[in-house]
Amino acid sequence: MAEIGTDIEKAAALLAQGELVAIPTETVYGLAGNALNIDAVAKIFAVKNRPAFDPLIVHVPALQATKKFVQEIPKKAERLAQLFWPGPLTIVLPKKDEIIPALVTAGLPSVGFRCPDHALTRTLLNKLAFPLAAPSANPFGYVSPTSPQHVNDQLGDKISYILDGGVCTIGIESTIIGFVAENPIIYRLGGLSLERIEAVIGNVEVMTHSSSNPVSPGQLKSHYAPGKKLILGNLIDLLQKYPAHSSGILSFEKDYNSPYQRILSPGGSAEEAAKNLFHYLRDFEAMPVDIILAELLPEVGLGRAINDRLKRASAVDI
Ligand code: TXA
Ligand code: MG
């Protein structure tokens, strides 16, 4: 098992040696390595068992730090970074030559940058002379980790150190936005809502379903899978169809009086639901249930991003 601690110096030293460290962010835990060191980046793909066609996000301490790696920063991107960084937004920018290895970006001419909003990780990034490539710290295709323990459960035998920043406050991955001829496109719905982005830069195209050749592999239909089959629908109907004694229930706000249920937010808050989502999906693993019955949230705010995760989780055949 990996060591879990709050020693930033130790994390920085390991990263400088080309080792991997799990880092906390406000969205989910990341599996970090030096983005400019090919061997470190290759280790990230190996540890996650991630296909090489899936590019990594590069984490920086501020927008300024992206400048030497990109050709230009569109005005709208700059505005978004000013308002929402540090925060749960990844901005895809046109890449300049080969300073950032092609392995990081899976050969794409663009690179996704994120400035995470977590005190420990910001201190770490400010200490380092290089940015951090960091995908979510889970095996490829599985639910993202929102606590140090989640990381240790799945990757503990493959990495030596987990920087402990507590439970993630947002709980779902960052929203990913890019620009084609100045037109904004969202590639992944996430911790920053579409509404908040549109309030700043106007209409945004949402392009999160690209089946065969994904621009952003988070777009793959079967992603974010918990270990059990997840069935989406109206919970009252589903409970008539499936046996209550062997079905887990994941409801938004309603109490179904089952020993095998998780209520995402009894008060009906999508923010609270996002924070609990991945943790609760993992809880069903330890329950004596065969399937998970779940319902969608209202399709507004973070509800969109949660529904996206639930739909992808339900698309997996286990
Ligand atoms: O919240 C987050 O974004 C977390 C934390 C650790 O920062 N990271 C994360 O990374 O979710 P990952 O690797 O699990 O998901 C990154 C997604 C992938 O779906 C990838 O395809 C997409 O970002 N991506 C990376 N670079 C891209 C690019 N240049 N263009 C389009 N999509 C890109
Ligand atoms: Mg991921």
PDB file of all heavy atoms in Angstrom, residues 10-20 34 37 39-40 43 130:
ATOM      1  N   LYS A  10       8.167  16.061   0.276  1.00  0.00           N
ATOM      2  CA  LYS A  10       8.370  14.681  -0.179  1.00  0.00           C
ATOM      3  C   LYS A  10       7.718  14.465  -1.551  1.00  0.00           C
ATOM      4  O   LYS A  10       8.322  13.869  -2.451  1.00  0.00           O
ATOM      5  CB  LYS A  10       7.779  13.712   0.857  1.00  0.00           C
ATOM      6  CG  LYS A  10       7.865  12.279   0.442  1.00  0.00           C
ATOM      7  CD  LYS A  10       7.576  11.322   1.572  1.00  0.00           C
ATOM      8  CE  LYS A  10       7.739   9.904   1.038  1.00  0.00           C
ATOM      9  NZ  LYS A  10       7.903   8.934   2.093  1.00  0.00           N
ATOM     10  N   ALA A  11       6.502  14.965  -1.684  1.00  0.00           N
ATOM     11  CA  ALA A  11       5.803  14.834  -2.966  1.00  0.00           C
ATOM     12  C   ALA A  11       6.613  15.524  -4.066  1.00  0.00           C
ATOM     13  O   ALA A  11       6.806  14.965  -5.157  1.00  0.00           O
ATOM     14  CB  ALA A  11       4.411  15.451  -2.865  1.00  0.00           C
ATOM     15  N   ALA A  12       7.122  16.716  -3.767  1.00  0.00           N
ATOM     16  CA  ALA A  12       7.883  17.475  -4.770  1.00  0.00           C
ATOM     17  C   ALA A  12       9.160  16.720  -5.153  1.00  0.00           C
ATOM     18  O   ALA A  12       9.517  16.648  -6.339  1.00  0.00           O
ATOM     19  CB  ALA A  12       8.223  18.863  -4.222  1.00  0.00           C
ATOM     20  N   ALA A  13       9.826  16.140  -4.162  1.00  0.00           N
ATOM     21  CA  ALA A  13      11.076  15.418  -4.433  1.00  0.00           C
ATOM     22  C   ALA A  13      10.797  14.190  -5.308  1.00  0.00           C
ATOM     23  O   ALA A  13      11.519  13.932  -6.281  1.00  0.00           O
ATOM     24  CB  ALA A  13      11.740  15.008  -3.117  1.00  0.00           C
ATOM     25  N   LEU A  14       9.767  13.440  -4.976  1.00  0.00           N
ATOM     26  CA  LEU A  14       9.428  12.262  -5.786  1.00  0.00           C
ATOM     27  C   LEU A  14       9.120  12.665  -7.229  1.00  0.00           C
ATOM     28  O   LEU A  14       9.603  12.051  -8.183  1.00  0.00           O
ATOM     29  CB  LEU A  14       8.221  11.527  -5.181  1.00  0.00           C
ATOM     30  CG  LEU A  14       8.499  10.705  -3.921  1.00  0.00           C
ATOM     31  CD1 LEU A  14       7.186  10.337  -3.218  1.00  0.00           C
ATOM     32  CD2 LEU A  14       9.271   9.426  -4.274  1.00  0.00           C
ATOM     33  N   LEU A  15       8.336  13.717  -7.381  1.00  0.00           N
ATOM     34  CA  LEU A  15       7.957  14.158  -8.731  1.00  0.00           C
ATOM     35  C   LEU A  15       9.185  14.614  -9.525  1.00  0.00           C
ATOM     36  O   LEU A  15       9.316  14.317 -10.713  1.00  0.00           O
ATOM     37  CB  LEU A  15       6.910  15.283  -8.642  1.00  0.00           C
ATOM     38  CG  LEU A  15       5.528  14.803  -8.165  1.00  0.00           C
ATOM     39  CD1 LEU A  15       4.672  15.969  -7.693  1.00  0.00           C
ATOM     40  CD2 LEU A  15       4.812  14.036  -9.281  1.00  0.00           C
ATOM     41  N   ALA A  16      10.101  15.302  -8.838  1.00  0.00           N
ATOM     42  CA  ALA A  16      11.320  15.773  -9.516  1.00  0.00           C
ATOM     43  C   ALA A  16      12.194  14.597  -9.956  1.00  0.00           C
ATOM     44  O   ALA A  16      12.966  14.708 -10.912  1.00  0.00           O
ATOM     45  CB  ALA A  16      12.095  16.716  -8.602  1.00  0.00           C
ATOM     46  N   GLN A  17      12.072  13.455  -9.235  1.00  0.00           N
ATOM     47  CA  GLN A  17      12.836  12.247  -9.632  1.00  0.00           C
ATOM     48  C   GLN A  17      12.133  11.442 -10.723  1.00  0.00           C
ATOM     49  O   GLN A  17      12.569  10.352 -11.080  1.00  0.00           O
ATOM     50  CB  GLN A  17      12.998  11.309  -8.428  1.00  0.00           C
ATOM     51  CG  GLN A  17      13.967  11.792  -7.359  1.00  0.00           C
ATOM     52  CD  GLN A  17      13.660  11.154  -5.993  1.00  0.00           C
ATOM     53  OE1 GLN A  17      13.082  10.071  -5.925  1.00  0.00           O
ATOM     54  NE2 GLN A  17      14.026  11.842  -4.926  1.00  0.00           N
ATOM     55  N   GLY A  18      10.977  11.941 -11.179  1.00  0.00           N
ATOM     56  CA  GLY A  18      10.266  11.214 -12.232  1.00  0.00           C
ATOM     57  C   GLY A  18       9.297  10.181 -11.703  1.00  0.00           C
ATOM     58  O   GLY A  18       8.764   9.369 -12.461  1.00  0.00           O
ATOM     59  N   GLU A  19       9.060  10.211 -10.377  1.00  0.00           N
ATOM     60  CA  GLU A  19       8.088   9.268  -9.787  1.00  0.00           C
ATOM     61  C   GLU A  19       6.680   9.860  -9.870  1.00  0.00           C
ATOM     62  O   GLU A  19       6.505  11.047 -10.107  1.00  0.00           O
ATOM     63  CB  GLU A  19       8.443   8.998  -8.322  1.00  0.00           C
ATOM     64  CG  GLU A  19       9.768   8.280  -8.126  1.00  0.00           C
ATOM     65  CD  GLU A  19       9.825   6.947  -8.853  1.00  0.00           C
ATOM     66  OE1 GLU A  19       8.787   6.253  -8.901  1.00  0.00           O
ATOM     67  OE2 GLU A  19      10.898   6.622  -9.403  1.00  0.00           O
ATOM     68  N   LEU A  20       5.681   9.000  -9.608  1.00  0.00           N
ATOM     69  CA  LEU A  20       4.293   9.457  -9.603  1.00  0.00           C
ATOM     70  C   LEU A  20       3.799   9.675  -8.180  1.00  0.00           C
ATOM     71  O   LEU A  20       4.196   8.955  -7.263  1.00  0.00           O
ATOM     72  CB  LEU A  20       3.385   8.421 -10.289  1.00  0.00           C
ATOM     73  CG  LEU A  20       3.786   7.971 -11.692  1.00  0.00           C
ATOM     74  CD1 LEU A  20       2.699   7.066 -12.273  1.00  0.00           C
ATOM     75  CD2 LEU A  20       4.044   9.165 -12.599  1.00  0.00           C
ATOM     76  N   ASN A  34       5.638  14.444 -13.776  1.00  0.00           N
ATOM     77  CA  ASN A  34       6.226  15.574 -14.499  1.00  0.00           C
ATOM     78  C   ASN A  34       5.780  15.522 -15.966  1.00  0.00           C
ATOM     79  O   ASN A  34       6.134  14.606 -16.699  1.00  0.00           O
ATOM     80  CB  ASN A  34       7.754  15.482 -14.388  1.00  0.00           C
ATOM     81  CG  ASN A  34       8.473  16.582 -15.161  1.00  0.00           C
ATOM     82  OD1 ASN A  34       7.861  17.320 -15.939  1.00  0.00           O
ATOM     83  ND2 ASN A  34       9.773  16.684 -14.933  1.00  0.00           N
ATOM     84  N   ASN A  37       8.514  15.093 -18.646  1.00  0.00           N
ATOM     85  CA  ASN A  37       9.392  13.928 -18.562  1.00  0.00           C
ATOM     86  C   ASN A  37       8.666  12.702 -19.151  1.00  0.00           C
ATOM     87  O   ASN A  37       7.723  12.175 -18.558  1.00  0.00           O
ATOM     88  CB  ASN A  37       9.748  13.714 -17.078  1.00  0.00           C
ATOM     89  CG  ASN A  37      10.562  12.457 -16.836  1.00  0.00           C
ATOM     90  OD1 ASN A  37      10.494  11.494 -17.601  1.00  0.00           O
ATOM     91  ND2 ASN A  37      11.330  12.456 -15.762  1.00  0.00           N
ATOM     92  N   ASP A  39       9.373   9.600 -19.440  1.00  0.00           N
ATOM     93  CA  ASP A  39       9.316   8.361 -18.653  1.00  0.00           C
ATOM     94  C   ASP A  39       8.238   8.447 -17.583  1.00  0.00           C
ATOM     95  O   ASP A  39       7.522   7.477 -17.329  1.00  0.00           O
ATOM     96  CB  ASP A  39      10.676   8.078 -17.995  1.00  0.00           C
ATOM     97  CG  ASP A  39      11.744   7.813 -19.045  1.00  0.00           C
ATOM     98  OD1 ASP A  39      11.364   7.311 -20.128  1.00  0.00           O
ATOM     99  OD2 ASP A  39      12.917   8.127 -18.804  1.00  0.00           O
ATOM    100  N   ALA A  40       8.129   9.619 -16.952  1.00  0.00           N
ATOM    101  CA  ALA A  40       7.095   9.797 -15.929  1.00  0.00           C
ATOM    102  C   ALA A  40       5.709   9.685 -16.568  1.00  0.00           C
ATOM    103  O   ALA A  40       4.805   9.034 -16.027  1.00  0.00           O
ATOM    104  CB  ALA A  40       7.265  11.155 -15.242  1.00  0.00           C
ATOM    105  N   LYS A  43       4.817   6.177 -17.330  1.00  0.00           N
ATOM    106  CA  LYS A  43       4.401   5.458 -16.109  1.00  0.00           C
ATOM    107  C   LYS A  43       2.923   5.708 -15.799  1.00  0.00           C
ATOM    108  O   LYS A  43       2.215   4.810 -15.342  1.00  0.00           O
ATOM    109  CB  LYS A  43       5.223   5.958 -14.908  1.00  0.00           C
ATOM    110  CG  LYS A  43       6.480   5.160 -14.642  1.00  0.00           C
ATOM    111  CD  LYS A  43       7.145   5.636 -13.352  1.00  0.00           C
ATOM    112  CE  LYS A  43       8.649   5.607 -13.541  1.00  0.00           C
ATOM    113  NZ  LYS A  43       9.394   6.355 -12.522  1.00  0.00           N
ATOM    114  N   PHE A 130       8.152  22.390 -13.161  1.00  0.00           N
ATOM    115  CA  PHE A 130       7.477  21.794 -14.314  1.00  0.00           C
ATOM    116  C   PHE A 130       5.993  21.621 -13.989  1.00  0.00           C
ATOM    117  O   PHE A 130       5.614  21.542 -12.816  1.00  0.00           O
ATOM    118  CB  PHE A 130       8.100  20.427 -14.645  1.00  0.00           C
ATOM    119  CG  PHE A 130       8.284  19.547 -13.426  1.00  0.00           C
ATOM    120  CD1 PHE A 130       7.241  18.774 -12.926  1.00  0.00           C
ATOM    121  CD2 PHE A 130       9.508  19.522 -12.746  1.00  0.00           C
ATOM    122  CE1 PHE A 130       7.404  17.987 -11.805  1.00  0.00           C
ATOM    123  CE2 PHE A 130       9.678  18.740 -11.607  1.00  0.00           C
ATOM    124  CZ  PHE A 130       8.616  17.971 -11.137  1.00  0.00           C
TER     125      PHE A 130
END
